[in-house]
Amino acid sequence: MARSPAVPEAVHDEQATRRRAAAAGPAGVTGTGASRAAGAEAPAALPGPVRAAVPAGRERAGTPGGSAGSGEASGPAAAPRPRSRPEEPGFWARHHLAVLTAATLACLLAGVAAERLGAPPAASLFFYVASYLAGGTPAALSGLAALRQRVIDVDLLMVLAALGAAGLGAWEEGATLLFLFSLSNALQSYAMDRTRRAIRALMDLAPETARRLRPGGTEEEVPVEDLRVGDVIAVRPGERIPIDGRVRAGRSTVDQAAITGESVPVAKGPGDEVFAGTMNQLGGLEVEVTRPATDTMLARIVALVQAAQEDRSRTQRLIDRIEQVYATAVVAVAALAAGLPLLWGADPAQTIYRALVLMVVASPCAVAISAPAPVLSAVANAARRGILLKGGRYVEELASVRVVAFDKTGTLTRGEPRVTDVVPLGGATREAVLQAAATAERLSEHPLARAVLAAAAAEGITPAEAEDAQAEPGFGVAARSGLGLAWAGSPEFARRHGADPSAAEPVMERLAREGKTVLLAGVGPNLLGCIAVQDTPRPGAREAVAALRRAGLIPVMLTGDRPEVARVIAAQLGITEVRAGLLPEGKLQAVEELSRTLGPVAMVGDGVNDAPALARARVGIAMGAAGTDVALETADVVLVSDEIEKLPFVFDLARRATRTIWQNLAFALSVIVVLVSLTLVGRLELALGVLGHEGSTVLAMLNGLRMLAVRPARHSAAAPAEVSGRTGS
């Protein structure tokens, strides 16, 4: 039950650091969680790039003196310096508890056999002492270390009980106690290591070297730490991408499942971002480095997962604070149980024996592991699916949420407008409407222009060659071409070109009621038709909202968009509570009001303009962390990919983990009550007490590890149909 070692905190912003410090509780609380299986499950040290996962611009680690590397090489023959990677723990580091446990059992059995076969007492004593040394040394060292910090922990209780049994001549029972205690520690060490495999697997994803392109086009192999922002590397088919960057040349598909959790490979071409640790599949790519090795998305994820595993839940912090007092009380009660009957003339050997049994069965091992096992397992499971929880406490915070508040643009919607309707007028064809609009918008960088050009390209319509383009902000854009003067814009813009927009008014009113932005398109005085553009819902958003409702959560939309637009999107997604026209301060006030009236709120946003609401909510959840620094720094939970359909899984996992914590606590306390009761009435032997005590600890651990197997629910509801660009044709 050892806690994870210290982890880098540089990935958190100042506000998050203060919040974590305020919730961490008193320092120096070690108790059982800090001592059992000491050193057995500590993961290997992080490599330089992960250890120094800090925002770009800070000193880099991994090269001498923090240098980013000169970028010069003598030639291909110059062997790159190998990257400093974490050494795999050796056999003894991984298995020393199991070896000592086996030695404890072997010596115990040898001692028992020596006694049963009538060997000299010195022979059986020799084997029992060896059993004590093998099974008790780790616990004794850990208990003494805690005692130097004025903490009494479970290891010390077990060692004292074993020594007391030896003092009474019950060597066999004392050795049995140490064997079962050591076996419990070994099993917990192996079990808890499963929750850390996600980190080790992530650390192994990024290659150690990269092929940097020289100015002449030749390649040189260099350590990843020597790459600088602006360098260009070559990535061949079937290779993992070694660093974050932007595709400069080439096209391929990239498997990003390890970073974003996306289930299918993503097409990549010039201008697209790629991430370290992802797998290039079909084509060769030239990638321009955009982040140093110390600041890749992979390094940040590793650091965040470790930080989350180090951070404790509220229940765990409470248990840790109580544990010191409880362990001290157990020692005091055992001393009274031994001392008071002696004053009344009770048999000393029997009295001390019962006190030792009481000390063992009342120890809080199972209680102490009740929270860490499910919380760490939940954090590891979520990380494996592209969901980062920045602390163990957010598992319980998520479970307490009653309201899920969503930003609209970029969270519930795609964040970019798309053509939803093309309505020809006056005998014009759909193709003519799109071609006129695309010709006018061809040289524009406006988001609406990009939507029109994308719709035309999707239908194989090529804009005509245009010149003398003129844009009037707020009205429209026009360009002269072989078609004539093509234009697209508002009704007023149509009138300026001699067209009469009155024929389009009924269509425009209908589309406006649906929350869509309407453009008129034409050539010269001829009005050809209407084009409606709208920011459409994300795939899976409707299913996610429905799943949250089924889970008893209340979805609410908080947006700065116009009320009519917000109501249309909300209706498409099944959200009935909508608050529109909100500035960032208004979203914050809405979160405060929802918290007062309905219960704890989780805010889901993009981590930028939603920052005040994310900070004020019980849990802040950021969408699309890939490439969004603010999301990683401000939110409590990060969905690395843009898959909003993962939200129901996050809440389900948190609720399951929290239920498991309380199941473990109820079970552990019940076992303690039963064992203590049997001890007080004199019906429990030391060996059986140890078996019940350690057995309950292992069962609590295994119950918590079930969180590793939780999977997203499969809903039968069909996915919502994509909004067709042919609607209204």
Side-chain angles (χ1 to χ4, degrees), residues 524-598:
N526 299 318
L527 174 63
L528 299 179
C530 304
I531 297 177
V533 179
Q534 188 180 46
D535 186 9
T536 56
R538 283 182 182 275
R542 182 177 180 85
E543 284 70 28
V545 170
L548 293 175
R549 282 191 178 280
R550 288 193 295 270
L553 296 166
I554 304 171
V556 178
M557 179 188 289
L558 306 179
T559 178
D561 210 340
R562 303 192 313 274
E564 58 271 20
V565 175
R567 284 194 293 270
V568 169
I569 296 295
Q572 293 176 2
L573 298 176
I575 297 177
T576 56
E577 179 75 17
V578 180
R579 304 190 183 189
L582 300 177
L583 296 174
E585 295 80 2
K587 291 184 179 180
L588 184 149
Q589 293 170 0
V591 167
E592 292 176 337
E593 180 187 342
L594 291 169
S595 299
R596 289 193 303 268
T597 58
L598 298 177

Side-chain angles (χ1 to χ4, degrees), residues 420-421 504-519 531-534 562-568:
T420 58
D421 302 80
E505 288 178 357
V507 176
M508 294 180 64
E509 290 178 1
R510 173 178 63 83
L511 295 174
R513 286 195 301 270
E514 297 174 3
K516 299 172 182 177
T517 300
V518 183
L519 300 174
I531 297 177
V533 179
Q534 188 180 46
R562 303 192 313 274
E564 58 271 20
V565 175
R567 284 194 293 270
V568 169

Side-chain angles (χ1 to χ4, degrees), residues 457-475:
E459 299 189 22
I461 298 172
T462 303
E465 292 292 334
E467 59 184 18
D468 192 22
Q470 296 180 351
E472 295 186 40
F475 291 96

